[in-house]
Amino acid sequence: MQKIPTNSMPPPAKTSLPTKTELPLDLTGPHVTAGASAAQRLYQALCEMIVSGLVKPGEPLPPSRTLAKQAGFRRNAVVIAYERLIADGFAEAKVGSGTFVAARIPARAAVPRKPKVAVEAPRQGAFALGCTHIDERALQRFRSYVGRRMRAFGSEHLHYGDPRGSRELRAAIADHLLSARGLRCDPDQIVITSGTLHALRIVLSAILKAGDQIWCEDPGYPIARKTIAHCGYRAVPVPVDEHGMRVAKGRSAAPSARAAYVTPSHQFPLGVQMSMSRRLELLDWAKQAGAFVLEDDYDSEFRYDGAPLMSLAGIDRLQRVIYLGTFAKTLFPGLRIGYCALPERLIADVTAARAALDRFPGTLMEGAVTDMLNSGAFAANLKRVRKLYREARDVLAETLEAASDGALSVPVPSQGLHLVARFDPSVDLSVAAQAKQAAGAEGWLLADTYLRARPLPGFVLGFSGHAVPQLIASAEQLARESRAALRTRNKSARRA
């Protein structure tokens, strides 16, 4: 038989793979978010193409290199877009064959115009506290992990689980606490909760009885005080100075208190750091009184100057300190995942309290958060958003100082997601209230965080998760209204 020369072999048969002219991809239509990344725009265009039926279920999508050339994007953008299509159920990957339109398209009325989790400025008003930003790369990773976990849905979700949460996530949190906060603990010492306040309720119900006293910082976090009171315990305000909670004042005000709630790394709202001598004094009191200290470490991951401070629980080695943490600020509030790290002696009591309160935490998101922690995506997201928050902090402080023409003093915090802007202590509290209302600003009045101590006039202003142009405009407006309210008050005082 005569061999056919290689260069004269018949061309391969055409496949159904779309070519550049055949792929009905619209990267400029109203379904594409202007200014978004290449991967985001490509994802939206592909979704629109699939949902509108321009390509059919089961049809192959072009190889990433081919589509990158057609769209004029880098191949990495195509890979990210394809991964998100797969995670959201619009496409399927077949090993050795490529990427295909899913056989069953998710029921969806329209392609999302923007990411489901805001990567731009949140919709909350100016200076709202607790706003977050999640980097788009971290968001895509999270979507991918959620999709993978859902596709591997197992029987563990069909039964009642461990009241403490999955051991997998607890082990990942234990590793994170050791590396980030110098806190060594066993996964058995961790309990997953739906947030800090949920953890507070569970723990207090295990260590206190109705009517027991608990020291709280004054000024301090009002919502925590309300939670304590709602649970039937007595919050005793203890003054705060530049070194943190004044332990001696607590001893004299409530010597029989059974617990203390503190924010030692970044006191809320003043931002001071509890000194080492004050920390040791607090731990000595807890040991002598047989009491426990609840350390709310709500924003320790966001330190901008210097090395992270060791946690109070790390110093105590979880003997008398109960550590409270949350993913609401490091990822996003909608997760509703927090945790507490416990002294070994409290594991059984707190686990029983958790089981009695709401049985066990939800299981569906635990795996995705575990993957974020173990893969490094969580740490990478923190590194990127920390830079954004630092810029936002600096812009807000500089604008307020300059635009208020000396009316406001704005210490720049070395850590956290909010700052305090203060009037002179002699200024009437009504000036801040009037300025805040006139400016339509959110955030808090500094005076509202006090219980018994003499309140100071000023504002507690969030800067995390807000776009810099919004912060500048809002800061200028608040500064103008502060100057106007101060002038009005001074004129009234002169007339009187």
Side-chain angles (χ1 to χ4, degrees):
M1 180 183 293
Q2 183 181 4
K3 290 186 178 181
I4 301 176
T6 303
N7 59 5
S8 63
M9 293 209 41
K14 284 189 175 182
T15 68
S16 60
L17 188 67
T19 64
K20 179 179 178 180
T21 56
E22 294 172 335
L23 190 65
L25 194 65
D26 182 4
L27 291 165
T28 60
H31 52 275
V32 176
T33 302
S37 68
Q40 172 70 10
R41 286 181 285 137
L42 184 57
Y43 166 79
Q44 291 175 331
L46 288 166
C47 278
E48 176 71 16
M49 182 183 69
I50 293 169
V51 171
S52 61
L54 295 176
V55 290
K56 304 301 181 184
E59 281 192 32
L61 293 172
S64 57
R65 293 184 188 278
T66 302
L67 185 55
K69 185 177 180 180
Q70 293 175 2
F73 294 150
R74 292 182 181 272
R75 180 169 174 256
N76 186 53
V78 180
V79 172
I80 292 173
Y82 275 5
E83 286 179 349
R84 187 170 169 190
L85 283 176
I86 294 167
D88 289 353
F90 287 99
E92 299 170 345
K94 298 181 181 179
V95 179
S97 299
T99 305
F100 295 77
V101 178
R104 297 180 63 186
I105 304 302
R108 203 177 221 174
V111 179
R113 300 291 191 255
K114 295 181 180 179
K116 292 179 181 178
V117 178
V119 296
E120 302 171 354
R123 295 183 179 180
Q124 290 95 330
F127 312 126
L129 276 67
C131 298
T132 61
H133 172 103
I134 181 168
D135 182 83
E136 186 176 339
R137 282 165 287 186
L139 176 61
Q140 289 165 349
R141 294 286 292 275
F142 186 77
R143 286 179 180 273
S144 177
Y145 293 143
V146 170
R148 186 174 73 182
R149 291 283 179 160
M150 288 298 294
R151 289 191 296 274
F153 190 97
S155 61
E156 68 273 14
H157 302 300
L158 304 178
H159 306 286
Y160 290 96
D162 190 325
R164 293 169 298 178
S166 75
R167 183 174 179 82
E168 184 185 29
L169 178 54
R170 289 186 283 118
I173 290 172
D175 290 342
H176 167 69
L177 291 178
L178 179 60
S179 62
R181 306 297 293 124
L183 176 55
R184 186 180 299 277
C185 63
D186 189 271
D188 287 344
Q189 293 175 265
I190 293 176
V191 173
I192 307 300
T193 69
S194 64
T196 300
L197 296 178
H198 186 226
L200 188 62
R201 293 175 66 95
I202 294 169
V203 169
L204 291 181
S205 69
I207 66 174
L208 300 183
K209 60 181 183 296
D212 276 352
Q213 294 176 314
I214 174 171
W215 295 355
C216 294
E217 296 163 326
D218 188 17
Y221 188 36
I223 299 176
R225 288 199 299 250
K226 290 178 181 177
T227 298
I228 290 167
H230 182 76
C231 293
Y233 313 115
R234 290 188 290 165
V236 178
V238 180
V240 173
D241 61 17
E242 67 272 19
H243 301 293
M245 176 182 274
R246 299 176 63 183
V247 178
K249 291 288 187 180
R251 285 181 181 268
S252 60
S256 60
R258 306 300 302 161
Y261 169 82
V262 293
T263 53
S265 295
H266 186 236
Q267 199 275 333
F268 187 92
L270 299 181
V272 300
Q273 299 164 9
M274 184 178 285
S275 66
M276 183 56 71
S277 61
R278 201 64 67 78
R279 290 174 184 232
L280 296 177
E281 187 181 1
L282 180 60
L283 294 177
D284 285 344
W285 163 78
K287 184 177 180 180
Q288 294 166 8
F292 290 97
V293 177
L294 290 96
E295 177 183 14
D296 186 350
D297 208 28
Y298 64 100
D299 62 6
S300 63
E301 289 90 351
F302 299 102
R303 184 164 175 80
Y304 310 109
D305 305 304
L309 302 171
M310 177 172 276
S311 65
L312 191 62
I315 298 171
D316 175 65
R317 298 183 180 179
L318 283 179
Q319 297 299 306
R320 285 284 163 185
V321 177
I322 300 161
Y323 182 93
L324 308 177
T326 178
F327 292 104
K329 298 175 180 64
T330 52
L331 288 175
F332 48 90
L335 271 178
R336 303 311 303 141
I337 294 181
Y339 56 90
C340 56
L342 306 166
E344 288 186 8
R345 73 188 80 183
L346 294 180
I347 294 174
D349 289 342
V350 173
T351 301
R354 173 60 195 269
L357 183 64
D358 62 348
R359 297 293 292 270
F360 70 103
T363 59
L364 287 177
M365 290 293 104
E366 288 183 336
V369 176
T370 302
D371 292 339
M372 290 290 287
L373 288 167
N374 290 339
S375 68
F378 178 81
N381 179 65
L382 281 182
K383 184 177 180 180
R384 289 190 288 262
V385 299
R386 195 181 288 120
K387 292 180 181 179
L388 295 178
Y389 292 170
R390 180 172 188 156
E391 179 188 4
R393 176 201 66 173
D394 293 344
V395 163
L396 177 56
E398 291 169 6
T399 304
L400 282 173
E401 288 255 358
S404 67
D405 196 23
L408 292 171
S409 172
V410 191
V412 180
S414 61
Q415 179 175 310
L417 307 176
H418 75 272
L419 56 73
V420 172
R422 311 177 194 176
F423 290 95
D424 186 273
S426 63
V427 172
D428 191 271
L429 298 179
S430 63
V431 171
Q434 180 181 335
K436 180 176 180 294
Q437 181 177 12
E442 290 197 31
W444 293 1
L445 291 172
L446 181 57
D448 289 345
T449 67
Y450 286 81
L451 201 57
R452 288 185 187 168
R454 181 178 180 271
L456 295 175
F459 314 100
V460 183
L461 307 174
F463 55 78
S464 64
H466 295 280
V468 167
Q470 177 196 13
L471 284 174
I472 293 173
S474 299
E476 290 174 343
Q477 184 176 6
L478 182 61
R480 285 195 300 270
E481 297 299 345
S482 294
R483 296 198 312 269
L486 198 55
R487 286 195 301 268
T488 300
R489 182 65 186 178
N490 289 339
K491 287 180 182 178
S492 299
R494 286 195 295 269
R495 291 193 196 101

